[in-house]
């Protein structure tokens, strides 16, 4: 069985399976090319695998394109749905812990800190604010990123299954 050749994306477009969108201005062309090359390679491998089990070439191309598009959309949705709420919860817990630790450490110093616009605050207040900000960022990252990854994997699998079903029906 001859391998299926990857499909080249149109100029200035992002193509993942059957899903296409214009390349955003903030995305460098080299990054868009990397996304397109990776997606086209995966799509070609799926089409080759489908060809090898007897699915006609045109149909296997449609199924692989729909599968990849579904996986991409499902993965993005899963990451957002799972990652965002967990990251918010992690930020709250991390902010509370960091604020407490920072406030205690700042209070131990017992000094005053000049803050632009606000004026002078005690080191305990400054420590609380800095600790809360650092703790919130750390808490969001520590629990939000793994949740987003799990959500992306689960959503991607569901999306791939849905996309494959749509592709088979085409």
């Amino acid at each position: 069985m001859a391998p299926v050749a990857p499909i080249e994306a149109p100029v200035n477009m992002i193509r993942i399976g059957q899903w296409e969108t214009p390349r955003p201005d903030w995305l460098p062309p080299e990054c868009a090319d990397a996304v397109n090359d990776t997606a086209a390679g995966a799509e070609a491998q799926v089409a080759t695998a489908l060809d090898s089990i007897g699915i006609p070439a045109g149909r296997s191309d449609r199924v692989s394109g729909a599968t990849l598009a579904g996986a991409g959309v499902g993965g993005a949705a899963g990451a957002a749905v799972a990652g965002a709420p967990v990251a918010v919860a992690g930020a709250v817990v991390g902010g509370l812990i960091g604020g407490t630790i920072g406030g205690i450490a700042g209070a131990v110093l017992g000094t005053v800190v000049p803050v632009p616009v606000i004026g002078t605050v005690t080191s305990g207040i400054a420590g609380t604010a800095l600790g809360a900000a650092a703790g919130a960022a750390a808490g969001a990252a520590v629990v939000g990123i793994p949740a987003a990854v799990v959500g992306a994997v689960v959503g991607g699998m569901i999306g791939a299954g849905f996309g494959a079903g749509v592709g088979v029906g085409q």
Side-chain angles (χ1 to χ4, degrees):
M1 169 97 347
V4 173
I7 298 171
E8 188 172 333
V11 175
N12 273 338
M13 297 291 283
I14 301 289
R15 181 183 181 283
I16 301 174
Q18 292 180 342
W19 180 78
E20 288 184 8
T21 189
R23 179 185 61 81
D25 293 335
W26 53 264
L27 184 68
E30 301 80 28
C31 291
D33 290 344
V35 168
N36 287 333
D37 291 346
T38 302
E43 182 181 5
Q45 289 178 352
V46 171
T48 300
L50 294 173
D51 287 351
S52 73
I53 60 170
I55 295 178
R59 189 166 192 191
S60 69
D61 293 344
R62 289 189 301 276
V63 171
S64 66
T67 300
L68 225 54
V73 171
V81 167
V86 173
V88 168
V92 169
V93 172
L96 292 172
I97 294 169
T100 302
I101 293 170
I104 292 169
V108 168
L109 291 175
T111 63
V112 290
V113 178
V115 178
V117 180
I118 295 175
T120 305
V121 297
T122 66
S123 56
I125 292 173
T128 300
L130 291 173
V142 165
V143 295
I145 291 171
V149 168
V150 169
V153 169
V154 171
M157 290 188 313
I158 292 169
F162 180 77
V166 168
V168 166
Q170 293 180 348

